[in-house]
């Protein structure tokens, strides 16, 4: 059933610019990485097709695909189900990578743990609670009654948000792969 993602991407003839490609009429067959699919945002609201999932610990897309679909090669379905293009910046970091990231981003532990990234205010209306982020570096009186969010807390919140993904219901995977292969193989030039 599973097909490697890169096998789905069509090839095209590209002008060979290497030293051995002496003439402009020499071409090399390459993958068309500019052609990719994206799931329409409105489809994510259909809970019969997608399930909510929280990425655990240091799980990678292939771990999640193996757990849910029984095939680590379906990691591209996990990524495509969340319109993730760049795994490095859109997928949750491992604990070790997260530590490296925040220590490189913030020049000192004081800045990381004590530096205020922003303030938050919780607004309540009936049963609905909404957090409002407040950024105001000029008027210190504006922060009265607001909750300070440190740089560390902010970065952890960002990681927690990346952990909340959607997964295609396993019963739709085969149909999804077939449709994707048809669509990505079509030429629209």
């Amino acid at each position: 059933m599973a097909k490697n993602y890169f096998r789905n991407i069509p090839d095209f003839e590209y002008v060979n610019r290497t030293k051995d490609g002496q003439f402009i009429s020499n071409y090399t067959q390459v993958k068309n990485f500019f052609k990719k699919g994206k799931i329409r945002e409105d489809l994510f609201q259909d809970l019969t097709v997608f399930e909510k999932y929280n990425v655990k610990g240091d799980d990678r897309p292939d771990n999640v695909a193996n757990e849910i679909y029984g095939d680590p090669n379906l990691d591209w379905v996990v990524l495509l189900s969340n319109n993730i293009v760049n795994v490095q910046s859109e997928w949750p970091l491992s604990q070790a990578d997260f530590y490296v990231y925040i220590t490189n981003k913030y020049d000192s532990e004081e800045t990381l743990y004590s530096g205020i990234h922003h303030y938050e205010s919780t607004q309540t209306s009936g049963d609905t609670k909404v957090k409002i982020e407040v950024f105001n570096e000029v008027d210190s009186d504006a922060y009265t009654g607001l909750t300070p969010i440190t740089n560390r807390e902010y970065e952890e919140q960002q990681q927690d948000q990346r952990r909340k993904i959607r997964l295609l219901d396993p019963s739709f995977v085969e149909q999804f792969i077939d449709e994707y292969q048809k669509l990505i193989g079509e030429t629209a030039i």
Side-chain angles (χ1 to χ4, degrees):
M1 168 181 71
K3 223 179 172 189
N4 184 293
Y5 175 76
F6 295 105
R7 290 187 191 144
N8 293 319
I9 298 174
D11 294 328
F12 75 102
E13 298 292 321
Y14 184 75
V15 176
N16 189 339
R17 303 273 187 211
T18 61
K19 289 181 182 180
D20 64 336
Q22 303 269 335
F23 305 103
I24 197 153
S25 61
N26 289 357
Y27 291 89
T28 302
Q29 194 171 49
V30 296
K31 291 290 182 187
N32 186 356
F33 289 113
F34 294 107
K35 190 163 190 175
K36 67 179 191 76
K38 181 178 179 182
I39 297 176
R40 291 188 344 238
E41 291 295 326
D42 62 313
L43 294 179
F44 290 126
Q45 305 311 315
D46 190 346
L47 297 178
T48 61
V49 178
F50 291 96
E51 302 170 355
K52 293 181 180 182
Y53 182 86
N54 279 316
V55 177
K56 297 175 229 130
D58 290 350
D59 273 354
R60 299 180 318 263
D62 59 322
N63 300 133
V64 174
N66 192 45
E67 177 186 338
I68 302 301
Y69 306 127
D71 187 344
N73 292 319
L74 291 177
D75 54 352
W76 65 273
V77 174
V78 172
L79 297 172
L80 200 59
S81 294
N82 292 278
N83 287 331
I84 292 176
V85 176
N86 185 341
V87 179
Q88 303 299 325
S89 65
E90 298 176 82
W91 188 263
L93 298 171
S94 68
Q95 283 300 103
D97 289 341
F98 180 66
Y99 179 76
V100 169
Y101 168 76
I102 60 176
T103 54
N104 286 338
K105 184 173 180 179
Y106 299 97
D107 55 355
S108 70
E109 285 197 17
E110 183 178 349
T111 304
L112 176 61
Y113 291 101
S114 300
I116 304 300
H117 185 272
H118 66 274
Y119 292 82
E120 287 184 352
S121 173
T122 303
Q123 302 287 322
T124 306
S125 177
D127 293 340
T128 305
K129 283 187 178 183
V130 178
K131 285 186 180 179
I132 299 172
E133 292 182 357
V134 179
F135 298 90
N136 183 350
E137 296 186 18
V138 179
D139 184 6
S140 60
D141 293 335
Y143 302 128
T144 306
L146 300 178
T147 305
I149 304 299
T150 67
N151 291 319
R152 172 70 184 219
E153 291 169 327
Y154 169 75
E155 297 296 346
E156 286 175 346
Q157 287 173 355
Q158 295 300 302
Q159 285 298 302
D160 289 344
Q161 285 302 313
R162 288 186 189 110
R163 291 188 181 289
K164 297 175 185 175
I165 64 171
R166 300 167 295 243
L167 294 176
L168 185 66
D169 185 290
S171 63
F172 293 106
V173 169
E174 195 167 332
Q175 178 185 355
F176 175 80
I177 292 171
D178 290 342
E179 287 296 317
Y180 183 79
Q181 288 170 344
K182 287 178 197 169
L183 288 172
I184 204 75
E186 291 177 0
T187 303
I189 295 176

